[in-house]
Amino acid sequence: MVIEVHVIGGGLAGSEAAWQLATAGVPVVLHEMRPVRKTEAHQTDALAELVCSNSFRSDDWAGNAVGLLHEEMRRAGSLILAAADRHKLPAGGALAVDREGFANEVTQSLEASPLITIIREEIEGLPPAAWDSVIVATGPLTSPSLARAVQSLTGETELAFFDAIAPIVHRDSIDMSVCWLQSRYDKEGPGGGTADYINCPLDKAQYDAFIDALITGDKTVFKDWESSTPYFEGCLPIEVMAERGRETLAHGPMKPVGLTNPHRPERPYAVVQLRQDNALGTLWNMVGFQTKLKHAEQVRIFRTIPGLEQAEFARLGGLHRNTFLNSPVLLDGTLRLKADPRLRFAGQITGVEGYVESAGIGLLAGRFAAAERLGSAITPPPLTTALGAMLNHITGGHLSSGGDGASRSFQPMNVNFGLFPPLAAPPPRVKSERGSKTLARKHALATRALADLERWLAGTASIAAE
Ligand SMILES: Cc1cc2nc3c(=O)[nH]c(=O)nc-3n(C[C@H](O)[C@H](O)[C@H](O)COP(=O)(O)OP(=O)(O)OC[C@H]3O[C@@H](n4cnc5c(N)ncnc54)[C@H](O)[C@@H]3O)c2cc1C
């Protein structure tokens, strides 16, 4: 007899994890606290409730990384994607759903499974010792008692309750004829490099215009229950810093000291620095640029920075209530907590961002837990797939400490093509609407991903039968 796996949290990730386990023939007990205890954002007692938008974003597998993730999840037998497809609404190239129909379908499918038992209860502390395999998928609004218990295992600073996100830029969209690589004072980091930062120079007029744009730019307001969001002095939004004084940024994250522009003789008035964000070197974050500016405003204002005129953003900035682990340090390659390997984490709490990404990590956690329970080898998906690239980012691909020794905090991330290993050779130009270089590259990455996914699925398909 196969012993059950416990899943805590019946949101996007927990529902998908439970489905994958049951599909593999493993019994599941799914513990969901709603309606016994509510969160600040959920409105119903349905499993997989969408707390805000009803969109799963682009459904274009060949041109958008989240569309590719949809396709991979469909092929991997995802319940979340099947329910989304069945309750799809007209939304152009996006996959938008009837939220009630979607959540009811997920709930009914899980309730109908003979291998799944659903218990409506809050798990208030660490799971009982008798539960030897547990998936924790309690999301960004994990109940405080469980969050505190997890914190007791991970350490005070390794579980965050708010994200403070700085924008991330694709390296190949930065104009290096304007910017240059250099660490402040050429200080050598632990990795031996003295040129760990990309520097973008601003003169006085550009700086003044930038400060004006920050102060007048359109900002997102906090929801009522988020209004206690602490502005940690170490990660104040840049517009708040600008409001405190026009020169605050020039003496803070944008200070020009210890840097020499090789392209021009005059000293810059201010400098924006970017630091490598992933091991592949394809993504760079804007240091100290956490912000509550609206996304469109961020793109407009940050593209006024010299060298970033054509910047493509892998992620834009934000500040939200969000419970998430420092996963690159805490989790192993199959999402288990190193400090207590019977606990596996899934969903937004692992540091992915978004409905689909959360469900995607739930899919992997469910498959890994099933393989473990059935005594099969666990094979993570190839790094070239959207599922594998995301998993790699949260369990190791993100650089968790700076090459210059600076502390670097891991912040949640949507899936994007910057997380994928580059192509071995540039793709041939394709005629058609996908004829541009960027689209041809995305198309080639997506085609490679689906081919590799198929090989991975073929190798793991026999888990249940073994
Ligand atoms: C306010 C808000 C708005 C968001 N809007 C969007 C959006 O528009 N689009 C988007 O893509 N992403 C959005 N996100 C981000 C994220 O994609 C969603 O939060 C997503 O639901 C995360 O999936 P999950 O499975 O990790 O967590 P959830 O879907 O939140 O599921 C976690 C579940 O665990 C339960 N739970 C918590 N603690 C316990 C406990 N101790 N015991 C038992 N059960 C417990 C909760 O009740 C919940 O059902 C938003 C997040 C927030 C907070």
Side-chain angles (χ1 to χ4, degrees):
M1 196 188 75
V2 183
I3 301 167
E4 74 269 0
V5 169
H6 293 263
V7 177
I8 309 178
L12 275 301
S15 298
E16 185 64 58
W19 183 255
Q20 294 292 328
L21 279 154
T23 303
V26 176
V28 183
V29 182
L30 176 58
H31 309 259
E32 167 53 55
M33 70 176 184
R34 290 175 293 119
V36 181
R37 186 186 169 114
K38 298 193 163 149
T39 77
E40 299 91 332
H42 291 83
Q43 305 288 326
T44 73
D45 59 3
L47 302 175
E49 178 183 335
L50 303 178
V51 284
C52 187
S53 154
N54 67 333
S55 173
F56 283 17
R57 315 196 317 273
S58 171
D59 201 27
D60 174 11
W61 71 264
N64 190 296
V66 80
L68 173 62
L69 182 56
H70 292 170
E71 185 55 27
E72 290 185 8
M73 291 174 68
R74 283 185 185 108
R75 294 185 188 198
S78 160
L79 171 64
I80 295 296
L81 258 293
D85 284 338
R86 266 196 291 277
H87 295 275
K88 188 172 169 167
L89 298 173
L95 176 57
V97 303
D98 173 316
R99 65 176 74 240
E100 216 174 289
F102 164 78
N104 288 342
E105 167 115 19
V106 173
T107 308
Q108 283 156 17
S109 301
L110 294 173
E111 283 172 349
S113 168
L115 285 175
I116 300 176
T117 308
I118 301 171
I119 305 178
R120 301 289 185 157
E121 63 178 357
E122 178 187 2
I123 303 301
E124 293 187 37
L126 290 177
W131 298 4
D132 69 337
S133 177
V134 183
I135 295 177
V136 182
T138 45
L141 307 174
T142 295
S143 72
S145 50
L146 179 59
R148 275 194 300 276
V150 171
Q151 213 173 22
S152 71
L153 279 180
T154 61
E156 186 83 4
T157 55
E158 303 294 342
L159 181 77
F161 293 97
F162 290 88
D163 54 39
I165 296 178
I168 291 192
V169 180
H170 288 274
R171 170 73 165 77
D172 59 8
S173 68
I174 301 173
D175 184 352
M176 294 306 287
S177 69
V178 174
C179 308
W180 74 98
L181 276 162
Q182 186 185 10
S183 301
R184 226 179 267 289
Y185 299 110
D186 300 313
K187 194 174 160 213
E188 191 175 312
T194 56
D196 291 339
Y197 290 79
I198 293 177
N199 300 283
C200 312
L202 289 88
D203 62 24
K204 172 91 170 84
Q206 289 165 333
Y207 178 79
D208 280 337
F210 182 68
I211 297 298
D212 288 339
L214 288 183
I215 292 172
T216 56
D218 214 358
K219 283 129 198 139
T220 311
V221 285
F222 283 119
K223 305 210 168 52
D224 283 351
W225 51 271
E226 283 185 314
S227 54
S228 60
T229 303
Y231 279 149
F232 306 111
E233 285 301 309
C235 59
L236 279 178
I238 43 166
E239 62 277 8
V240 173
M241 279 193 259
E243 279 159 11
R244 286 187 175 182
R246 294 188 67 83
E247 297 305 315
T248 308
L249 284 168
H251 292 103
M254 292 176 72
K255 62 179 178 282
V257 298
L259 297 166
T260 313
N261 184 349
H263 306 298
R264 300 177 72 111
E266 66 273 13
R267 188 171 181 265
Y269 189 79
V271 168
V272 173
Q273 289 200 303
L274 294 100
R275 188 168 53 203
Q276 189 175 331
D277 199 75
N278 63 344
L280 293 170
T282 50
L283 300 175
W284 289 63
N285 71 64
M286 298 176 70
V287 180
F289 265 52
Q290 51 281 345
T291 176
K292 286 285 285 178
L293 285 166
K294 289 199 167 153
H295 282 181
E297 286 288 77
Q298 292 185 39
V299 174
R300 180 180 69 79
I301 296 170
F302 296 154
R303 283 191 181 153
T304 66
I305 296 169
L308 300 188
E309 294 87 348
Q310 308 293 326
E312 292 296 332
F313 294 91
R315 178 183 81 189
L316 286 158
L319 201 69
H320 314 94
R321 168 74 205 285
N322 195 357
T323 313
F324 66 100
L325 296 167
N326 189 10
S327 298
V329 172
L330 299 174
L331 301 185
D332 72 10
T334 70
L335 299 164
R336 292 181 312 175
L337 190 69
K338 290 175 192 163
D340 188 355
R342 77 194 169 105
L343 304 183
R344 200 169 242 118
F345 283 79
Q348 182 109 352
I349 198 169
T350 63
V352 290
E353 169 73 35
Y355 298 147
V356 191
E357 289 86 341
S358 297
I361 294 296
L363 182 147
L364 292 178
R367 284 178 160 247
F368 293 163
E372 194 175 74
R373 185 55 104 212
L374 296 170
S376 314
I378 299 184
T379 320
L383 300 185
T384 48
T385 62
L387 286 165
M390 243 179 10
L391 177 71
N392 177 54
H393 185 71
I394 57 174
T395 61
H398 176 270
L399 297 178
S400 43
S401 75
D404 57 352
S407 68
R408 174 171 306 169
S409 66
F410 169 68
Q411 296 290 332
M413 175 78 107
N414 285 123
V415 66
N416 65 80
F417 281 118
L419 301 178
F420 290 59
L423 296 163
R429 289 267 175 140
V430 240
K431 292 204 178 92
S432 81
E433 77 276 16
R434 296 196 187 284
S436 85
K437 201 172 147 203
T438 310
L439 287 177
R441 188 181 132 265
K442 289 179 178 173
H443 191 259
L445 286 169
T447 305
R448 179 182 73 176
L450 290 181
D452 290 352
L453 181 93
E454 287 299 341
R455 273 190 284 278
W456 177 66
L457 288 175
T460 57
S462 54
I463 291 177
E466 278 170 12

